[in-house]
Amino acid sequence: MKFTKLLLSLSAALLAVCMTACAQEYTSIEDVMATADGGDFAIQGEYSVPEADEFYQVIARGDGKFDVVGYKGGLPGQGWDRSMARFFGSAELKDGKLVITGIKMDIPRKGEEREVIFTDEQKAGCKMAAWREGGKILFEKKGKQLEAVKLDRKSPTLGEKAPEGAWVIYDGSNTDNFLPSGDKEPEVNPENGALFSELVVKPFENRPYKLHLEFMTSYMPRSEGQGRANSGVYIDECYECQVLDSFGLEGRDNECGGFYQSTCPIVNMAFPPLSWQTYDIDFTPVKYDENGKKTANARFTVVHNGVVIHDDIELSGPTPGRSNEEDTHHGLYLQGHGNRVQYRNIWVQYK
């Protein structure tokens, strides 16, 4: 009995240590570059190898370890789509080089994805390396040395000003358009004027509108899945378009750009953490007749970082986690979920 209690105590202690490590969250580039993780953060990102027409997303996992996703012909939203193959690898910093080892590849066939697992022998022959030398990023594959270019994509609607007549919800000047979330008042980041998540916007008018907002996910390299800078944009406080650090992931309904437990994005357009990203959402509310019977579902077009990820879709009901569909309409809920995701430049244009 004592031994069992000791095991439980040790398990609880290890879990607490793990949760503390996984919960470490960086909300500014300055903070992360001032730590030991600064090196990993500087390596993470998107790369092009022009001579090979190959593109790579390098995702930091902490302690000098990375995941790597490779694309032919372009990055997601810029030449690559779900009908095309991808390469997956793992990487580790060794003697100043990022050594990448292939582990599997997705090869779509007739609209389906088939996962090919490499044998140990194939893995050994599928190694690559990248390193900095003389201000250049060099890339080596199959004994051939090529130059790589680190990319810094930005949304074409980043910083877009509200058109004349639009309702400016937040431009950094005040938080008058927000309601308390429970006992929590809106929190402004003093470093950049953005708002930290867990925000409730006053109710909107009951008519179609376009919503523009900008968000930044935190850098949490040791966290996984839903613990990695989790937030969500609840349109009408009812339909959650997920916000998450999903850089380099599949693009599922519970990842950035997905309508939670409902609809996957056409393509995963998530940028690396600590990058400002945009959602531009066209929303048509659910409709009811005079007897309170629903006559039309809510409809959405979502543009993530300048690329359409949902094209005039309809949702048959609410997503979990907030409010139900009602004839009385609500505002906007920007979920906290215990993470410090940031929002700015929020406005609505009614149609």
Side-chain angles (χ1 to χ4, degrees), residues 214-252:
E214 300 173 8
F215 65 91
M216 179 193 286
T217 57
S218 308
Y219 177 61
M220 306 176 70
R222 295 178 183 84
S223 298
E224 298 286 341
Q226 298 295 297
R228 201 169 165 103
N230 194 328
S231 181
V233 176
Y234 279 81
I235 300 149
D236 203 30
E237 291 195 48
C238 187
Y239 315 96
E240 182 187 10
C241 188
Q242 178 86 322
V243 172
L244 193 76
D245 173 15
S246 302
F247 176 57
L249 298 186
E250 176 71 21
R252 302 188 185 280

Side-chain angles (χ1 to χ4, degrees), residues 117-165:
I117 305 297
F118 293 131
T119 65
D120 289 340
E121 184 178 347
Q122 288 171 318
K123 283 183 185 181
C126 195
K127 285 187 177 179
M128 298 174 277
W131 67 96
R132 292 183 183 275
E133 187 175 294
K136 294 182 178 180
I137 301 170
L138 300 178
F139 185 87
E140 186 178 280
K141 183 179 180 182
K142 296 181 179 178
K144 189 175 182 180
Q145 197 172 111
L146 306 170
E147 187 173 344
V149 179
K150 190 170 186 183
L151 306 175
D152 182 19
R153 291 198 287 173
K154 295 190 185 301
S155 168
T157 66
L158 190 67
E160 186 172 300
K161 293 183 179 180
E164 187 176 351

Side-chain angles (χ1 to χ4, degrees), residues 8-25 63 222-223:
L8 289 171
S9 298
L10 287 171
S11 298
L14 286 170
L15 180 61
V17 169
C18 178
M19 288 181 69
T20 301
C22 291
Q24 192 168 23
E25 186 170 12
D63 306 312
R222 295 178 183 84
S223 298

Side-chain angles (χ1 to χ4, degrees), residues 154-163 166-172 177-178 195 199 201 204 208-216 233 235 243 276-283 301-307 332 334 342-351:
K154 295 190 185 301
S155 168
T157 66
L158 190 67
E160 186 172 300
K161 293 183 179 180
W167 176 27
V168 178
I169 295 171
Y170 186 69
D171 62 2
N177 291 314
F178 294 88
L195 294 172
L199 301 160
V201 180
F204 290 15
Y209 59 78
K210 173 187 174 179
L211 167 69
H212 172 90
L213 60 77
E214 300 173 8
F215 65 91
M216 179 193 286
V233 176
I235 300 149
V243 172
W276 280 108
Q277 307 186 52
T278 60
Y279 275 158
D280 291 280
I281 302 173
D282 287 319
F283 172 58
T301 293
V302 181
V303 179
H304 183 192
N305 290 329
V307 176
L332 182 71
L334 304 177
Q342 298 173 69
Y343 290 90
R344 71 179 188 188
N345 193 20
I346 309 170
W347 50 264
V348 160
Q349 183 181 28
Y350 289 107
K351 297 181 178 180

Side-chain angles (χ1 to χ4, degrees), residues 4-302:
T4 303
K5 287 183 177 179
L6 178 60
L7 280 178
L8 289 171
S9 298
L10 287 171
S11 298
L14 286 170
L15 180 61
V17 169
C18 178
M19 288 181 69
T20 301
C22 291
Q24 192 168 23
E25 186 170 12
Y26 303 98
T27 58
S28 75
I29 292 173
E30 291 75 18
D31 283 349
V32 72
M33 294 304 288
T35 70
D37 277 319
D40 288 5
F41 177 80
I43 292 167
Q44 177 174 256
E46 297 183 318
Y47 294 83
S48 166
V49 184
E51 190 175 335
D53 192 30
E54 292 176 349
F55 297 79
Y56 293 87
Q57 292 180 323
V58 180
I59 304 103
R61 292 297 179 188
D63 306 312
K65 293 182 172 60
F66 302 82
D67 290 336
V68 179
V69 186
Y71 306 86
K72 261 289 195 190
L75 288 164
Q78 286 186 337
W80 182 89
D81 61 44
R82 291 184 187 271
S83 70
M84 302 164 74
R86 287 175 301 174
F87 159 86
F88 294 88
S90 58
E92 189 170 358
L93 282 173
K94 294 181 179 179
D95 300 323
K97 290 187 178 183
L98 185 68
V99 179
I100 308 163
T101 304
I103 51 174
K104 65 180 182 179
M105 182 177 289
D106 279 348
I107 305 178
R109 292 287 183 270
K110 296 181 180 179
E112 296 181 356
E113 290 192 345
R114 188 181 73 186
E115 187 178 281
V116 178
I117 305 297
F118 293 131
T119 65
D120 289 340
E121 184 178 347
Q122 288 171 318
K123 283 183 185 181
C126 195
K127 285 187 177 179
M128 298 174 277
W131 67 96
R132 292 183 183 275
E133 187 175 294
K136 294 182 178 180
I137 301 170
L138 300 178
F139 185 87
E140 186 178 280
K141 183 179 180 182
K142 296 181 179 178
K144 189 175 182 180
Q145 197 172 111
L146 306 170
E147 187 173 344
V149 179
K150 190 170 186 183
L151 306 175
D152 182 19
R153 291 198 287 173
K154 295 190 185 301
S155 168
T157 66
L158 190 67
E160 186 172 300
K161 293 183 179 180
E164 187 176 351
W167 176 27
V168 178
I169 295 171
Y170 186 69
D171 62 2
S173 58
N174 62 67
T175 59
D176 293 348
N177 291 314
F178 294 88
L179 302 171
S181 178
D183 59 355
K184 184 176 174 61
E185 295 288 341
E187 182 183 356
V188 179
N189 183 344
E191 293 182 359
N192 60 14
L195 294 172
F196 286 111
S197 55
E198 194 56 35
L199 301 160
V200 180
V201 180
K202 291 178 179 178
F204 290 15
E205 295 179 21
N206 184 19
R207 55 186 170 123
Y209 59 78
K210 173 187 174 179
L211 167 69
H212 172 90
L213 60 77
E214 300 173 8
F215 65 91
M216 179 193 286
T217 57
S218 308
Y219 177 61
M220 306 176 70
R222 295 178 183 84
S223 298
E224 298 286 341
Q226 298 295 297
R228 201 169 165 103
N230 194 328
S231 181
V233 176
Y234 279 81
I235 300 149
D236 203 30
E237 291 195 48
C238 187
Y239 315 96
E240 182 187 10
C241 188
Q242 178 86 322
V243 172
L244 193 76
D245 173 15
S246 302
F247 176 57
L249 298 186
E250 176 71 21
R252 302 188 185 280
D253 62 77
N254 65 347
E255 295 172 4
C256 201
F259 278 100
Y260 189 63
Q261 294 188 6
S262 174
T263 309
C264 297
I266 295 169
V267 63
N268 176 13
M269 277 306 301
F271 288 167
L274 298 186
S275 303
W276 280 108
Q277 307 186 52
T278 60
Y279 275 158
D280 291 280
I281 302 173
D282 287 319
F283 172 58
T284 301
V286 61
K287 295 179 182 177
Y288 296 88
D289 63 19
E290 62 276 9
N291 298 315
K293 180 181 177 181
K294 186 165 76 168
T295 58
N297 290 322
R299 304 193 71 87
F300 305 83
T301 293
V302 181

